[in-house]
mmCIF file of all heavy atoms in Angstrom:
data_model
loop_
_atom_site.group_PDB
_atom_site.id
_atom_site.type_symbol
_atom_site.label_atom_id
_atom_site.label_comp_id
_atom_site.label_asym_id
_atom_site.label_seq_id
_atom_site.Cartn_x
_atom_site.Cartn_y
_atom_site.Cartn_z
ATOM 1 N N LEU A 159 -3.153 20.069 21.752
ATOM 2 C CA LEU A 159 -3.482 19.984 23.175
ATOM 3 C C LEU A 159 -3.695 18.531 23.616
ATOM 4 O O LEU A 159 -3.251 18.130 24.697
ATOM 5 C CB LEU A 159 -4.716 20.834 23.484
ATOM 6 C CG LEU A 159 -4.489 22.344 23.359
ATOM 7 C CD1 LEU A 159 -5.809 23.088 23.330
ATOM 8 C CD2 LEU A 159 -3.589 22.842 24.478
ATOM 9 N N LYS A 160 -4.351 17.741 22.780
ATOM 10 C CA LYS A 160 -4.574 16.332 23.117
ATOM 11 C C LYS A 160 -3.245 15.567 23.150
ATOM 12 O O LYS A 160 -3.020 14.738 24.034
ATOM 13 C CB LYS A 160 -5.541 15.696 22.120
ATOM 14 C CG LYS A 160 -5.866 14.249 22.400
ATOM 15 C CD LYS A 160 -6.413 14.017 23.798
ATOM 16 C CE LYS A 160 -7.846 14.421 23.913
ATOM 17 N NZ LYS A 160 -8.439 14.072 25.220
ATOM 18 N N GLN A 161 -2.360 15.858 22.205
ATOM 19 C CA GLN A 161 -1.044 15.218 22.211
ATOM 20 C C GLN A 161 -0.285 15.562 23.495
ATOM 21 O O GLN A 161 0.350 14.690 24.102
ATOM 22 C CB GLN A 161 -0.216 15.671 21.013
ATOM 23 C CG GLN A 161 -0.698 15.150 19.686
ATOM 24 C CD GLN A 161 0.052 15.801 18.550
ATOM 25 O OE1 GLN A 161 1.265 15.665 18.457
ATOM 26 N NE2 GLN A 161 -0.653 16.519 17.690
ATOM 27 N N THR A 162 -0.381 16.820 23.903
ATOM 28 C CA THR A 162 0.293 17.245 25.122
ATOM 29 C C THR A 162 -0.324 16.552 26.331
ATOM 30 O O THR A 162 0.398 16.073 27.216
ATOM 31 C CB THR A 162 0.220 18.780 25.274
ATOM 32 O OG1 THR A 162 0.736 19.391 24.082
ATOM 33 C CG2 THR A 162 1.034 19.258 26.460
ATOM 34 N N GLN A 163 -1.642 16.470 26.365
ATOM 35 C CA GLN A 163 -2.327 15.802 27.475
ATOM 36 C C GLN A 163 -1.911 14.334 27.565
ATOM 37 O O GLN A 163 -1.615 13.827 28.644
ATOM 38 C CB GLN A 163 -3.838 15.914 27.300
ATOM 39 C CG GLN A 163 -4.625 15.182 28.371
ATOM 40 C CD GLN A 163 -6.109 15.079 28.033
ATOM 41 O OE1 GLN A 163 -6.518 15.228 26.883
ATOM 42 N NE2 GLN A 163 -6.909 14.814 29.038
ATOM 43 N N VAL A 164 -1.891 13.648 26.431
ATOM 44 C CA VAL A 164 -1.495 12.241 26.410
ATOM 45 C C VAL A 164 -0.049 12.097 26.887
ATOM 46 O O VAL A 164 0.276 11.201 27.671
ATOM 47 C CB VAL A 164 -1.695 11.633 24.996
ATOM 48 C CG1 VAL A 164 -1.027 10.272 24.873
ATOM 49 C CG2 VAL A 164 -3.181 11.541 24.663
ATOM 50 N N THR A 165 0.814 12.993 26.448
ATOM 51 C CA THR A 165 2.209 12.953 26.861
ATOM 52 C C THR A 165 2.342 13.151 28.369
ATOM 53 O O THR A 165 3.100 12.436 29.027
ATOM 54 C CB THR A 165 3.015 14.024 26.093
ATOM 55 O OG1 THR A 165 3.013 13.681 24.702
ATOM 56 C CG2 THR A 165 4.449 14.100 26.569
ATOM 57 N N LEU A 166 1.608 14.102 28.913
ATOM 58 C CA LEU A 166 1.672 14.341 30.360
ATOM 59 C C LEU A 166 1.216 13.115 31.140
ATOM 60 O O LEU A 166 1.767 12.793 32.194
ATOM 61 C CB LEU A 166 0.809 15.544 30.744
ATOM 62 C CG LEU A 166 1.304 16.913 30.294
ATOM 63 C CD1 LEU A 166 0.265 17.974 30.606
ATOM 64 C CD2 LEU A 166 2.641 17.240 30.942
ATOM 65 N N GLU A 167 0.208 12.436 30.618
ATOM 66 C CA GLU A 167 -0.353 11.292 31.331
ATOM 67 C C GLU A 167 0.443 10.007 31.142
ATOM 68 O O GLU A 167 0.577 9.209 32.076
ATOM 69 C CB GLU A 167 -1.800 11.073 30.877
ATOM 70 C CG GLU A 167 -2.538 10.047 31.693
ATOM 71 C CD GLU A 167 -4.019 9.992 31.373
ATOM 72 O OE1 GLU A 167 -4.577 10.977 30.844
ATOM 73 O OE2 GLU A 167 -4.629 8.939 31.640
ATOM 74 N N TYR A 168 0.993 9.805 29.935
ATOM 75 C CA TYR A 168 1.613 8.516 29.616
ATOM 76 C C TYR A 168 3.127 8.577 29.431
ATOM 77 O O TYR A 168 3.764 7.535 29.322
ATOM 78 C CB TYR A 168 0.968 7.917 28.359
ATOM 79 C CG TYR A 168 -0.469 7.538 28.574
ATOM 80 C CD1 TYR A 168 -1.497 8.424 28.275
ATOM 81 C CD2 TYR A 168 -0.809 6.287 29.090
ATOM 82 C CE1 TYR A 168 -2.824 8.076 28.478
ATOM 83 C CE2 TYR A 168 -2.129 5.927 29.292
ATOM 84 C CZ TYR A 168 -3.130 6.839 28.992
ATOM 85 O OH TYR A 168 -4.445 6.491 29.192
ATOM 86 N N GLY A 169 3.702 9.762 29.330
ATOM 87 C CA GLY A 169 5.152 9.882 29.174
ATOM 88 C C GLY A 169 5.548 10.406 27.802
ATOM 89 O O GLY A 169 4.709 10.620 26.928
ATOM 90 N N ASN A 170 6.828 10.615 27.638
ATOM 91 C CA ASN A 170 7.383 11.188 26.415
ATOM 92 C C ASN A 170 7.746 10.126 25.380
ATOM 93 O O ASN A 170 8.146 9.020 25.730
ATOM 94 C CB ASN A 170 8.659 11.976 26.734
ATOM 95 C CG ASN A 170 8.387 13.301 27.387
ATOM 96 O OD1 ASN A 170 7.501 14.038 26.972
ATOM 97 N ND2 ASN A 170 9.149 13.633 28.428
ATOM 98 N N ILE A 171 7.589 10.502 24.123
ATOM 99 C CA ILE A 171 8.148 9.775 22.977
ATOM 100 C C ILE A 171 8.701 10.843 22.050
ATOM 101 O O ILE A 171 8.519 12.043 22.283
ATOM 102 C CB ILE A 171 7.106 8.882 22.258
ATOM 103 C CG1 ILE A 171 5.879 9.691 21.812
ATOM 104 C CG2 ILE A 171 6.713 7.715 23.127
ATOM 105 C CD1 ILE A 171 4.895 8.892 20.969
ATOM 106 N N SER A 172 9.371 10.443 21.001
ATOM 107 C CA SER A 172 9.993 11.439 20.120
ATOM 108 C C SER A 172 8.964 12.428 19.574
ATOM 109 O O SER A 172 9.249 13.615 19.435
ATOM 110 C CB SER A 172 10.754 10.762 18.981
ATOM 111 O OG SER A 172 9.887 9.955 18.215
ATOM 112 N N GLU A 173 7.751 11.963 19.290
ATOM 113 C CA GLU A 173 6.712 12.846 18.768
ATOM 114 C C GLU A 173 6.186 13.839 19.799
ATOM 115 O O GLU A 173 5.477 14.776 19.446
ATOM 116 C CB GLU A 173 5.544 12.022 18.215
ATOM 117 C CG GLU A 173 5.852 11.243 16.964
ATOM 118 C CD GLU A 173 6.433 9.863 17.226
ATOM 119 O OE1 GLU A 173 6.788 9.552 18.377
ATOM 120 O OE2 GLU A 173 6.558 9.087 16.264
ATOM 121 N N SER A 174 6.545 13.657 21.060
ATOM 122 C CA SER A 174 6.108 14.597 22.102
ATOM 123 C C SER A 174 6.631 15.998 21.834
ATOM 124 O O SER A 174 6.012 16.982 22.241
ATOM 125 C CB SER A 174 6.580 14.124 23.488
ATOM 126 O OG SER A 174 5.986 12.894 23.827
ATOM 127 N N THR A 175 7.749 16.093 21.130
ATOM 128 C CA THR A 175 8.281 17.426 20.807
ATOM 129 C C THR A 175 7.280 18.206 19.962
ATOM 130 O O THR A 175 7.158 19.420 20.124
ATOM 131 C CB THR A 175 9.628 17.322 20.062
ATOM 132 O OG1 THR A 175 9.456 16.520 18.888
ATOM 133 C CG2 THR A 175 10.698 16.697 20.943
ATOM 134 N N VAL A 176 6.562 17.502 19.081
ATOM 135 C CA VAL A 176 5.535 18.153 18.257
ATOM 136 C C VAL A 176 4.420 18.679 19.159
ATOM 137 O O VAL A 176 3.916 19.789 18.968
ATOM 138 C CB VAL A 176 4.979 17.178 17.199
ATOM 139 C CG1 VAL A 176 3.837 17.807 16.414
ATOM 140 C CG2 VAL A 176 6.079 16.709 16.271
ATOM 141 N N ALA A 177 4.057 17.880 20.162
ATOM 142 C CA ALA A 177 3.002 18.292 21.095
ATOM 143 C C ALA A 177 3.420 19.547 21.855
ATOM 144 O O ALA A 177 2.658 20.514 21.957
ATOM 145 C CB ALA A 177 2.696 17.156 22.074
ATOM 146 N N TYR A 178 4.628 19.537 22.400
ATOM 147 C CA TYR A 178 5.098 20.687 23.169
ATOM 148 C C TYR A 178 5.215 21.931 22.284
ATOM 149 O O TYR A 178 4.863 23.034 22.708
ATOM 150 C CB TYR A 178 6.444 20.392 23.829
ATOM 151 C CG TYR A 178 6.382 19.321 24.891
ATOM 152 C CD1 TYR A 178 7.348 18.328 24.955
ATOM 153 C CD2 TYR A 178 5.367 19.289 25.846
ATOM 154 C CE1 TYR A 178 7.316 17.346 25.933
ATOM 155 C CE2 TYR A 178 5.310 18.313 26.821
ATOM 156 C CZ TYR A 178 6.296 17.345 26.861
ATOM 157 O OH TYR A 178 6.260 16.378 27.828
ATOM 158 N N LEU A 179 5.689 21.752 21.072
ATOM 159 C CA LEU A 179 5.789 22.868 20.135
ATOM 160 C C LEU A 179 4.404 23.445 19.839
ATOM 161 O O LEU A 179 4.208 24.661 19.864
ATOM 162 C CB LEU A 179 6.461 22.425 18.834
ATOM 163 C CG LEU A 179 6.551 23.466 17.736
ATOM 164 C CD1 LEU A 179 7.469 24.613 18.153
ATOM 165 C CD2 LEU A 179 7.054 22.837 16.456
ATOM 166 N N GLY A 180 3.444 22.564 19.579
ATOM 167 C CA GLY A 180 2.075 23.016 19.296
ATOM 168 C C GLY A 180 1.484 23.757 20.472
ATOM 169 O O GLY A 180 0.861 24.812 20.308
ATOM 170 N N TYR A 181 1.672 23.224 21.665
ATOM 171 C CA TYR A 181 1.148 23.887 22.864
ATOM 172 C C TYR A 181 1.803 25.261 23.042
ATOM 173 O O TYR A 181 1.108 26.252 23.301
ATOM 174 C CB TYR A 181 1.368 23.022 24.109
ATOM 175 C CG TYR A 181 0.951 23.721 25.372
ATOM 176 C CD1 TYR A 181 -0.394 23.976 25.627
ATOM 177 C CD2 TYR A 181 1.891 24.164 26.291
ATOM 178 C CE1 TYR A 181 -0.793 24.641 26.779
ATOM 179 C CE2 TYR A 181 1.499 24.829 27.442
ATOM 180 C CZ TYR A 181 0.163 25.071 27.683
ATOM 181 O OH TYR A 181 -0.224 25.737 28.808
ATOM 182 N N GLY A 182 3.098 25.327 22.862
ATOM 183 C CA GLY A 182 3.796 26.611 22.983
ATOM 184 C C GLY A 182 3.316 27.621 21.955
ATOM 185 O O GLY A 182 3.147 28.806 22.254
ATOM 186 N N PHE A 183 3.072 27.156 20.743
ATOM 187 C CA PHE A 183 2.599 28.046 19.691
ATOM 188 C C PHE A 183 1.206 28.583 20.018
ATOM 189 O O PHE A 183 0.924 29.767 19.821
ATOM 190 C CB PHE A 183 2.607 27.314 18.346
ATOM 191 C CG PHE A 183 2.346 28.225 17.178
ATOM 192 C CD1 PHE A 183 3.267 29.189 16.809
ATOM 193 C CD2 PHE A 183 1.171 28.115 16.461
ATOM 194 C CE1 PHE A 183 3.025 30.042 15.736
ATOM 195 C CE2 PHE A 183 0.924 28.958 15.387
ATOM 196 C CZ PHE A 183 1.857 29.922 15.023
ATOM 197 N N ILE A 184 0.337 27.716 20.534
ATOM 198 C CA ILE A 184 -1.006 28.163 20.927
ATOM 199 C C ILE A 184 -0.902 29.212 22.026
ATOM 200 O O ILE A 184 -1.581 30.238 21.996
ATOM 201 C CB ILE A 184 -1.870 26.967 21.383
ATOM 202 C CG1 ILE A 184 -2.127 26.025 20.209
ATOM 203 C CG2 ILE A 184 -3.190 27.443 21.981
ATOM 204 C CD1 ILE A 184 -2.661 24.664 20.620
ATOM 205 N N ARG A 185 -0.054 28.948 23.005
ATOM 206 C CA ARG A 185 0.141 29.921 24.097
ATOM 207 C C ARG A 185 0.654 31.248 23.543
ATOM 208 O O ARG A 185 0.213 32.317 23.955
ATOM 209 C CB ARG A 185 1.136 29.387 25.133
ATOM 210 C CG ARG A 185 0.668 28.234 25.973
ATOM 211 C CD ARG A 185 -0.281 28.659 27.083
ATOM 212 N NE ARG A 185 0.178 29.784 27.846
ATOM 213 C CZ ARG A 185 0.820 29.737 29.001
ATOM 214 N NH1 ARG A 185 1.083 28.572 29.539
ATOM 215 N NH2 ARG A 185 1.179 30.838 29.618
ATOM 216 N N PHE A 186 1.582 31.192 22.578
ATOM 217 C CA PHE A 186 2.113 32.403 21.961
ATOM 218 C C PHE A 186 1.002 33.179 21.253
ATOM 219 O O PHE A 186 0.862 34.389 21.427
ATOM 220 C CB PHE A 186 3.225 32.051 20.975
ATOM 221 C CG PHE A 186 3.622 33.195 20.084
ATOM 222 C CD1 PHE A 186 4.377 34.250 20.581
ATOM 223 C CD2 PHE A 186 3.236 33.224 18.755
ATOM 224 C CE1 PHE A 186 4.736 35.309 19.763
ATOM 225 C CE2 PHE A 186 3.584 34.279 17.938
ATOM 226 C CZ PHE A 186 4.338 35.332 18.439
ATOM 227 N N LEU A 187 0.195 32.467 20.468
ATOM 228 C CA LEU A 187 -0.881 33.133 19.732
ATOM 229 C C LEU A 187 -1.892 33.772 20.669
ATOM 230 O O LEU A 187 -2.423 34.843 20.385
ATOM 231 C CB LEU A 187 -1.583 32.153 18.789
ATOM 232 C CG LEU A 187 -0.764 31.688 17.588
ATOM 233 C CD1 LEU A 187 -1.540 30.655 16.793
ATOM 234 C CD2 LEU A 187 -0.348 32.852 16.719
ATOM 235 N N LYS A 188 -2.166 33.122 21.788
ATOM 236 C CA LYS A 188 -3.111 33.694 22.748
ATOM 237 C C LYS A 188 -2.560 34.966 23.395
ATOM 238 O O LYS A 188 -3.328 35.784 23.885
ATOM 239 C CB LYS A 188 -3.448 32.667 23.836
ATOM 240 C CG LYS A 188 -4.409 31.592 23.345
ATOM 241 C CD LYS A 188 -4.873 30.708 24.468
ATOM 242 C CE LYS A 188 -5.552 31.444 25.531
ATOM 243 N NZ LYS A 188 -6.914 31.501 25.713
ATOM 244 N N SER A 189 -1.248 35.141 23.384
ATOM 245 C CA SER A 189 -0.655 36.315 24.019
ATOM 246 C C SER A 189 -0.653 37.546 23.114
ATOM 247 O O SER A 189 -0.413 38.648 23.567
ATOM 248 C CB SER A 189 0.788 36.009 24.448
ATOM 249 O OG SER A 189 1.638 35.906 23.311
ATOM 250 N N ILE A 190 -0.949 37.342 21.822
ATOM 251 C CA ILE A 190 -0.977 38.461 20.875
ATOM 252 C C ILE A 190 -2.337 39.131 20.959
ATOM 253 O O ILE A 190 -3.369 38.487 20.803
ATOM 254 C CB ILE A 190 -0.726 37.966 19.433
ATOM 255 C CG1 ILE A 190 0.657 37.321 19.339
ATOM 256 C CG2 ILE A 190 -0.868 39.107 18.440
ATOM 257 C CD1 ILE A 190 0.911 36.654 17.997
ATOM 258 N N PRO A 191 -2.365 40.439 21.213
ATOM 259 C CA PRO A 191 -3.667 41.129 21.280
ATOM 260 C C PRO A 191 -4.383 41.068 19.942
ATOM 261 O O PRO A 191 -3.765 41.118 18.877
ATOM 262 C CB PRO A 191 -3.306 42.571 21.638
ATOM 263 C CG PRO A 191 -1.838 42.615 21.864
ATOM 264 C CD PRO A 191 -1.240 41.316 21.422
#
Side-chain angles (χ1 to χ4, degrees):
L159 291 166
K160 181 56 77 174
Q161 290 172 61
T162 306
Q163 177 191 19
V164 168
T165 295
L166 290 173
E167 188 171 338
Y168 293 93
N170 285 316
I171 56 174
S172 59
E173 291 87 350
S174 296
T175 56
V176 175
Y178 294 136
L179 176 66
Y181 175 69
F183 189 68
I184 294 165
R185 290 283 312 264
F186 168 74
L187 290 176
K188 284 188 59 102
S189 71
I190 299 173

